[in-house]
Amino acid sequence: MMKKAILLLLILCLQSCHYGRMIRYYKADIDDHKIFPYTEVNTGENTFYFKDGSTTDEAKKLDTLSFSVDGKRYAMDKVLDIHSETTAFLVIKDDAIVFENYYEGYKRDSISNIFSVSKSVTSLLVGIAIDEGKIESVHDPITKYIPELNDADPLFKKLTLAHLLDMRAGLEFDESYSSPFDEVSRLYYGKKQLKQISKMKFNYQPGTHHEYQSVCTTLLGIAVERVTGMQLGKYLETKLWIPLEMENPATWSYDDEKNKNTKAFCCLNTTAIDLAKIARLMIYKGEYNGKQIVSKAWVEKLVTPNKENDCYQYQWYSKNCEEDFYALGILGQQVYVSPSEDLIIVRLGKSWTSNDVFISRIKEVL
């Protein structure tokens, strides 16, 4: 009888709790949009297409670009195909696609989880909510927008949106994905995100210590949902996906059917070509077709290197605290932007690869 009870408990856990999900699926995967509930992010009537740059000098240079692997040299396309678990690789120069290819069975319209690149998109949505007056100031405490946290650790009352944007929350939070028991695994595989967060304590006073913590973006996403009255995916659809004339529908996973708090920190599921349009928006300082989608001041905040915060500013990284900036996901998802060269590089994949090597060589030849 006891054995049957234990077996039944194990089956229920595997079906419903985050421990079961992690045991069943083992580790985060780019196709996890298939296992979580999600919000649909639809496209509009119009579609923007980059120019065809396949016959340009830049494209020819990339065709001849080679890399050394285990003492042998291979063309870039071959390295991406057989040595990197890349699923999509795009290079866009001067608004023209000079390299575009897909691997591992993925295609131009195949959506996948972009993981922490989602954080950078969330930051744009925070800026739009500020532009619209729905969020008054980044210096507001998070409790102003999520009042339930007034009943949690008192330090939540000192935690501002700016602290969250710069990952200076100071929370006790394990980002390792090393076990079913660490906090980031609970957020990723679990339900009731806000309930989980309300139980958290602080290691540092908010604003005093920079430490990358996905919980920061989760709180930002919930705040945007509260002030807009919309799921984050629908706000994305209205404010970015349709205005930027995206090519493919996307989805954004949320925690559970009751709460429907979007997993803002990880789980926007989209394509490389549409991520390139986010990058293009950044190059044009938030403007698209003569319309200011997000304020120029907000975009400049995202791309201006913050040397006092490990070159991390409002959910975006700056390369060596210089002009180039990028968004980055745990399995090597990357949106890299070099504004002065009007260069965009997007890489999606199933595991981490040497993105820096590809990016530096591409910049050398272009």
Side-chain angles (χ1 to χ4, degrees):
M1 189 68 178
M2 180 63 72
K3 289 182 179 179
K4 289 183 178 180
I6 293 172
L7 180 60
L8 178 61
L9 181 64
L10 179 60
I11 291 172
L12 289 173
C13 183
L14 287 172
Q15 290 178 339
S16 62
C17 74
H18 86 271
Y19 302 114
R21 279 182 177 173
M22 190 167 188
I23 291 168
R24 181 178 178 184
Y25 298 107
Y26 176 55
K27 62 180 181 179
D29 182 84
I30 64 172
D31 290 326
D32 282 348
H33 58 93
K34 298 175 181 179
I35 67 173
F36 296 128
Y38 58 79
T39 305
E40 293 182 354
V41 182
N42 297 308
T43 56
E45 295 180 357
N46 300 317
T47 303
F48 168 81
Y49 295 100
F50 289 96
K51 294 179 291 187
D52 178 8
S54 59
T55 60
T56 62
D57 290 340
E58 288 83 3
K60 294 173 183 177
K61 291 175 182 177
L62 293 183
D63 283 342
T64 60
L65 184 59
S66 64
F67 295 82
S68 178
V69 179
D70 297 329
K72 296 182 180 179
R73 296 204 71 82
Y74 299 91
M76 182 173 71
D77 183 57
K78 181 64 70 174
V79 176
L80 291 169
D81 186 20
I82 65 175
H83 291 292
S84 68
E85 287 196 296
T86 293
T87 57
F89 202 89
L90 275 176
V91 181
I92 298 171
K93 173 74 171 169
D94 299 327
D95 259 359
I97 299 174
V98 296
F99 183 93
E100 177 181 15
N101 220 333
Y102 301 90
Y103 312 93
E104 302 277 341
Y106 290 77
K107 300 177 182 178
R108 185 182 178 118
D109 62 353
S110 300
I111 67 169
S112 63
N113 190 342
I114 60 171
F115 293 103
S116 289
V117 176
S118 308
K119 293 179 170 72
S120 304
V121 177
T122 298
S123 176
L124 283 171
L125 296 178
V126 171
I128 293 171
I130 291 173
D131 294 341
E132 294 180 328
K134 291 181 169 63
I135 291 175
E136 291 185 28
S137 170
V138 294
H139 303 297
D140 287 339
I142 189 62
T143 51
K144 178 175 180 178
Y145 302 101
I146 311 177
E148 297 96 312
L149 294 176
N150 280 309
D151 298 325
D153 189 304
L155 285 179
F156 274 109
K157 297 176 183 178
K158 296 183 178 181
L159 180 61
T160 68
L161 301 187
H163 296 151
L164 295 169
L165 285 160
D166 272 338
M167 299 282 185
R168 300 184 74 87
L171 283 159
E172 186 178 317
F173 188 88
D174 185 353
E175 187 73 23
S176 65
Y177 280 102
S178 59
S179 81
F181 303 100
D182 62 40
E183 287 77 15
V184 73
S185 296
R186 288 172 182 265
L187 281 183
Y188 186 75
Y189 288 103
K191 301 179 180 181
K192 303 177 182 178
Q193 288 186 106
L194 189 54
K195 184 177 180 180
Q196 293 181 49
I197 296 168
S198 66
K199 297 177 181 179
M200 293 180 184
K201 301 299 181 183
F202 288 75
N203 284 332
Y204 305 93
Q205 286 281 330
T208 63
H209 179 76
H210 172 64
E211 182 179 353
Y212 187 91
Q213 297 181 330
S214 288
V215 62
C216 295
T217 319
T218 297
L219 288 171
L220 291 169
I222 294 173
V224 172
E225 291 182 325
R226 293 290 180 84
V227 299
T228 62
M230 303 171 70
Q231 285 185 272
L232 202 63
K234 285 303 176 186
Y235 194 57
L236 173 69
E237 176 184 293
T238 302
K239 301 302 176 181
L240 288 177
W241 230 248
I242 292 176
L244 292 181
E245 301 179 329
M246 295 302 198
E247 188 170 322
N248 305 290
T251 66
W252 207 332
S253 303
Y254 52 79
D255 53 2
D256 60 82
E257 290 293 349
K258 180 180 179 180
N259 296 283
K260 293 188 176 181
N261 290 146
T262 302
K263 297 182 182 183
F265 71 97
C266 69
C267 301
L268 174 58
N269 310 291
T270 184
T271 62
I273 194 66
D274 289 326
L275 284 175
K277 296 176 188 179
I278 297 287
R280 184 178 186 271
L281 180 71
M282 303 289 281
I283 289 178
Y284 284 86
K285 302 292 186 179
E287 183 183 316
Y288 178 75
N289 272 357
K291 182 179 179 181
Q292 203 69 39
I293 305 297
V294 57
S295 66
K296 180 179 179 181
W298 186 258
V299 174
E300 287 181 341
K301 181 69 178 179
L302 306 186
V303 304
T304 301
N306 187 344
K307 296 180 180 180
E308 297 180 356
N309 201 52
D310 298 331
C311 305
Y312 185 87
Q313 54 283 327
Y314 282 22
Q315 313 278 298
W316 288 78
Y317 299 86
S318 54
K319 177 69 173 177
N320 299 325
C321 267
E322 296 175 351
E323 179 199 49
D324 291 3
F325 58 90
Y326 60 95
L328 189 66
I330 192 172
L331 298 182
Q333 291 76 24
Q334 189 162 9
V335 179
Y336 188 95
V337 186
S338 182
S340 63
E341 300 177 34
D342 201 356
L343 176 66
I344 297 167
I345 301 172
V346 181
R347 185 266 179 183
L348 302 180
K350 294 183 176 182
S351 66
W352 189 263
T353 189
S354 301
N355 288 7
D356 286 348
V357 175
F358 289 108
I359 290 168
S360 62
R361 289 294 309 283
I362 289 169
K363 288 191 67 178
E364 283 177 11
V365 300
L366 296 186

